[in-house]
Amino acid sequence: MTVTDVARDGLDDALLALRSEVSAPVALPGEAGYERCMPWNAAAAVAPGAVVLAAAPHHVAETVRFAANRGLQVTVQATGHGALGVTPDTILVSTTGMAAVTVDPMSRSARVGAGATWQRVLDAAAPFGLAPLCGSAPSVGVVGFLTGGGIGPLVRTFGASSDHVRSFELVTGEGELLTVTPQDHADLFWGLRGGKATLGIVTAVEIDLKPVAEFYGGAVFFDGADAAAVLHTWQRWCAGLPETVNTSLALQQLPPLPGVPEPLAGRLTVAVRYTALGDFAEAERLLAPMRAAAVPLMDTVGVLPYAAIGAVHADPVDPMPVHEEHTLLGSFTPEAVDALLSVAGPGSGSVQAIVELRMLGGAFAREPRHRSALGHRDAAFTLATIGALIPELAGAVPAHAAAVLAALAPWSTGGQLPNFAPSADPGRAARVYGEDTRHWLAALADRYDPAGVFRTGQVVRA
Ligand SMILES: Cc1cc2nc3c(=O)[nH]c(=O)nc-3n(C[C@H](O)[C@H](O)[C@H](O)COP(=O)(O)OP(=O)(O)OC[C@H]3O[C@@H](n4cnc5c(N)ncnc54)[C@H](O)[C@@H]3O)c2cc1C
């Protein structure tokens, strides 16, 4: 028997003991319920030693105390849209059993369980004409999104979605249950908005809802052959947009699968996404120069109910193996357009499903009323690549994604947002946070998680 076998036996014994100390269902590999840890991003090797199917905050607290007493690690997952590798020495808390959503129309707020997706909040809020500040994909988890700051299709109008959090319910690394608000545990309130799971497992969140029943938006799709005209027009057009208007652009190569509209399937296309509030006639007028950049293949822009906000990006819903890269741009100049076209435009040999730019600025650029660990407010655009790791492309996607970032390096700030291209790479923290923020997040983690229970995944520790 090797040292590894002895360690493995000790671990197996500990994980079996989990069942006697945690009142939630526990699934070990091969047992029913274990499959709940299979992530949306099927490329992430999520193989924890045990999955705790938490249905209440005390289940989470019991798990964390159990792990702290035995020197084990705990990680948390809702949908797995931001999944990273998890090894068998780690216990995974699945929050999907804590997905209740309650809307209070009087206070224009929602209380959202940690396992809820944005779709649930959209559905619960829509009957009251209220809107949560979700991201591009309603199938993403609310808490994972908000702890990463959250950049949605209305980011220029309202700022980061985490700027609109009212409170968190949190289980710390010592298994303590805390209600975290701007007044109570203000240090955690700062760090949870941007710090991902560094400071504990959030069991519920209370968020603002906005009185937005409709928006003017959708996407205008162009043929890839028109990419140069469309991108150069978009680059000039962005400069004059008010903050009631939000836009992103995607060079897309979508497979001919069910759900992909025929004109967009199996070819390079350019999607110009548009989301505007306020005067819809003015919003239509502002879009006109963009619509005229070339002959559109499809144009879905119009007045839509807010519940249809997911249609603007039309992100994929079903799980898939993906590789993401991401950086922030300080500017996007005509030269940057040419650089992007050379690596992701027609004839470039791009193997990415999506190369996307999102315009920032507006309300995002202003510090919120309650400061948070989310930085890079001065970035002008996000740049992201999303490639499908299917066998015929898997070898080429990461290298090409790196080439896209290298081509845009002259305009990159070197920074990254916590939510995009998640990574456990030790250098990641320095790209996501400034030095002070890293220092304070690590100091808070030492204080609230002295045993180091939360060290798996994208966490900031000294
Ligand atoms: C198709 C797609 C579209 C996206 N669109 C956007 C977008 O528009 N804007 C944007 O900002 N991001 C976007 N993202 C990124 C997304 O917000 C992050 O990946 C987010 O972490 C996903 O949260 P999740 O709960 O769905 O995923 P999970 O993989 O379950 O969680 C990811 C991470 O979130 C943290 N987390 C989750 N639950 C908790 C909890 N209860 N307590 C503490 N931490 C927790 C943990 O660090 C966890 O590892 C998108 C991702 C995809 C795949």
Side-chain angles (χ1 to χ4, degrees):
M1 189 179 261
T2 65
V3 173
T4 319
D5 291 334
V6 173
R8 180 67 235 175
D9 280 355
L11 181 63
D12 288 347
D13 290 347
L15 293 173
L16 284 171
L18 182 62
R19 245 193 269 276
S20 58
E21 291 187 34
V22 175
S23 50
V26 172
L28 301 182
E31 294 180 349
Y34 187 84
E35 73 288 348
R36 290 257 290 273
C37 75
M38 291 304 108
W40 181 88
N41 183 359
V46 177
V51 176
V52 173
L53 304 170
H58 68 268
H59 293 152
V60 180
E62 289 162 5
T63 308
V64 170
R65 285 198 290 266
F66 174 90
N69 289 337
R70 285 168 176 79
L72 295 173
Q73 298 198 18
V74 177
T75 192
V76 59
Q77 186 173 291
T79 71
H81 274 81
L84 291 170
V86 180
T87 47
D89 55 356
T90 299
I91 301 167
L92 185 146
V93 171
S94 167
T95 57
T96 53
M98 298 191 290
V101 175
T102 320
V103 168
D104 180 356
M106 295 305 288
S107 65
R108 287 187 183 156
S109 66
R111 185 185 181 283
V112 183
T117 61
W118 282 112
Q119 188 62 57
R120 275 183 181 250
V121 192
L122 283 164
D123 292 345
F128 303 101
L130 294 173
L133 296 174
C134 57
S136 60
S139 55
V140 160
V142 173
V143 167
F145 176 89
L146 291 174
T147 52
I151 303 302
L154 290 173
V155 62
R156 291 168 40 75
T157 311
F158 290 110
S161 301
S162 56
D163 298 345
H164 302 268
V165 171
R166 295 188 185 186
S167 68
F168 294 96
E169 284 160 38
L170 178 74
V171 174
T172 69
E174 293 184 291
E176 202 181 351
L177 278 140
L178 299 179
T179 299
V180 175
T181 71
Q183 291 75 39
D184 297 325
H185 308 290
D187 50 356
L188 292 170
F189 191 72
W190 169 85
L192 285 171
R193 292 170 302 136
K196 300 295 292 184
T198 297
L199 302 178
I201 296 183
V202 173
T203 56
V205 64
E206 190 188 358
I207 55 171
D208 290 344
L209 298 175
K210 303 296 173 191
V212 177
E214 293 180 323
F215 67 101
Y216 183 79
V220 187
F221 298 90
F222 299 95
D223 195 322
D226 294 321
V230 173
L231 266 75
H232 278 289
T233 304
W234 191 76
Q235 184 273 330
R236 288 189 299 272
W237 175 70
C238 282
L241 296 178
E243 64 186 58
T244 48
V245 165
N246 299 263
T247 183
S248 68
L249 178 144
L251 288 151
Q252 303 188 145
Q253 301 188 91
L254 305 179
L257 289 176
V260 175
E262 193 270 322
L264 310 182
R267 62 197 288 196
L268 177 70
T269 59
V270 189
V272 174
R273 290 85 162 254
Y274 191 66
T275 318
L277 297 184
D279 179 345
F280 292 164
E282 173 66 1
E284 185 175 5
R285 192 190 65 74
L286 284 168
L287 182 62
M290 203 58 247
R291 276 180 156 146
V295 178
L297 289 173
M298 259 174 66
D299 185 334
T300 68
V301 180
V303 178
L304 292 176
Y306 188 80
I309 190 88
V312 175
H313 282 241
D315 283 335
V317 175
D318 294 334
M320 56 181 60
V322 295
H323 174 87
E324 290 178 57
E325 287 289 353
H326 155 65
T327 193
L328 291 165
L329 305 182
S331 62
F332 187 58
T333 63
E335 294 76 21
V337 171
D338 292 335
L340 184 60
L341 287 167
S342 71
V343 277
S348 65
S350 170
V351 289
Q352 306 304 320
I354 296 176
V355 176
E356 178 192 83
L357 289 155
R358 297 188 187 195
M359 187 187 178
L360 298 173
F364 178 74
R366 296 191 286 275
E367 281 295 339
R369 180 155 157 250
H370 303 294
R371 291 192 173 221
S372 75
L374 179 67
H376 299 306
R377 299 264 177 183
D378 55 349
F381 293 86
T382 66
L383 169 68
T385 65
I386 299 151
L389 293 176
I390 50 174
E392 51 274 38
L393 293 180
V397 163
H400 178 261
V404 173
L405 262 58
L408 274 293
W411 299 274
S412 166
T413 67
Q416 293 184 318
L417 294 175
N419 270 350
F420 292 101
S423 162
D425 157 19
R428 163 85 168 167
R431 297 191 292 274
V432 172
Y433 309 104
E435 201 180 333
D436 283 0
T437 301
R438 280 203 314 277
H439 168 82
W440 285 113
L441 282 174
L444 286 171
D446 281 349
R447 176 169 168 201
Y448 288 97
D449 178 19
V453 171
F454 304 123
R455 282 185 180 271
T456 298
Q458 195 176 286
V459 293
V460 183
R461 294 299 300 230

